[in-house]
Amino acid sequence: QVQLVESGGALVQAGGSLRLSCAASGRTFSRYAMGWFRQAPGKEREIVAVISPSGGLTLYAQSVKGRFTASRDNAKNTMYVQMNNLKPEDTAVYYCAAGTGILPAESYKYDYWGQGTQVTVSS
């Protein structure tokens, strides 16, 4: 069992930056690939970034490549995403999730989800 808690969401102006954190409970954090997903009002949930269990591999959605950077600290059971040059279209609730595999891109491969944190980017 893994419990996930996101933090760091806020209201920010376009061009600004935020760092989201995802704190995990349990001793098995390092066994899981971790993903960031987001869901905007009226839209389906979409993957943002994935990081492998060791942290050595990452995968990004095309829309955030070059702007978002995922990282993790397995000693602290925490995952992060640094979001730079934010755009209004990045506005969404951001969720972290723990999944099986190396870089799972499909949401059904994720077993545990956090409650989400709101990111709002004003123009």
Side-chain angles (χ1 to χ4, degrees), residues 16-52:
S17 298
L18 281 176
R19 188 176 82 155
L20 304 184
S21 299
C22 173
S25 65
R27 302 178 182 178
T28 60
F29 177 74
S30 62
R31 298 180 186 176
Y32 291 94
M34 297 296 296
W36 286 102
F37 293 79
R38 68 186 181 187
Q39 187 166 20
K43 295 187 177 181
E44 293 187 356
R45 183 171 55 194
E46 63 176 354
I47 193 165
V48 174
V50 182
I51 188 164
S52 62

Side-chain angles (χ1 to χ4, degrees), residues 78 90 96 99:
T78 304
D90 295 319
C96 66

Side-chain angles (χ1 to χ4, degrees), residues 4-6 20-23 29 32-38 45-53 57-61 68 70-72 78-81 93-107 109-114 116:
L4 303 172
V5 179
E6 303 94 338
L20 304 184
S21 299
C22 173
F29 177 74
Y32 291 94
M34 297 296 296
W36 286 102
F37 293 79
R38 68 186 181 187
R45 183 171 55 194
E46 63 176 354
I47 193 165
V48 174
V50 182
I51 188 164
S52 62
L57 297 173
T58 52
L59 175 71
Y60 297 97
F68 289 16
S71 60
R72 65 190 294 165
T78 304
M79 175 180 66
Y80 309 93
V81 62
V93 177
Y94 283 70
Y95 301 89
C96 66
T100 54
I102 301 300
L103 286 176
E106 299 85 0
S107 60
K109 294 183 178 179
Y110 287 82
D111 302 310
Y112 304 101
W113 293 81

